[in-house]
């Protein structure tokens, strides 16, 4: 919507549109926060899990001869 189109719309309609956009923006920000929090939780959960030791062979049984 360009400036000439906005000039044709009444004040009440502009305020209503602005209110709608403000509400949508708040919801989007809250959703972004939720997503970032979940990603951080997953990243921390991965970091706290012990992984395979560097140089360890995967699938080898403990005590098996190499």
């Amino acid at each position: 919507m360009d400036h000439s189109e906005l000039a044709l719309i009444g004040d009440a309609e502009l305020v209503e549109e602005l209110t709608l956009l403000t509400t949508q923006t708040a919801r989007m920000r809250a959703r972004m926060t939720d997503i970032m929090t979940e990603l951080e939780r997953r990243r921390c959960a991965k970091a706290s899990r012990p992984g395979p030791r560097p140089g360890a062979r995967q699938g080898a049984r403990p005590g098996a001869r190499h």
Side-chain angles (χ1 to χ4, degrees), residues 1-9:
M1 186 175 289
D2 62 17
H3 185 70
S4 62
E5 291 175 315
L6 289 175
L8 299 174
I9 300 172

Side-chain angles (χ1 to χ4, degrees), residues 53-66:
R53 292 186 319 261
R57 290 181 37 194
Q58 295 209 354
R61 292 185 316 266
R65 292 188 148 185
H66 300 279

Side-chain angles (χ1 to χ4, degrees), residues 20-34:
L20 177 67
L21 291 172
T22 302
T23 301
Q24 289 175 346
T25 302
R27 287 182 184 148
M28 287 173 29
R29 284 185 179 152
R31 183 67 176 147
M32 288 170 59
T33 300
D34 291 345

Side-chain angles (χ1 to χ4, degrees), residues 6-19:
L6 289 175
L8 299 174
I9 300 172
D11 289 353
E13 289 84 4
L14 288 175
V15 170
E16 183 178 335
E17 180 72 13
L18 186 58
T19 301

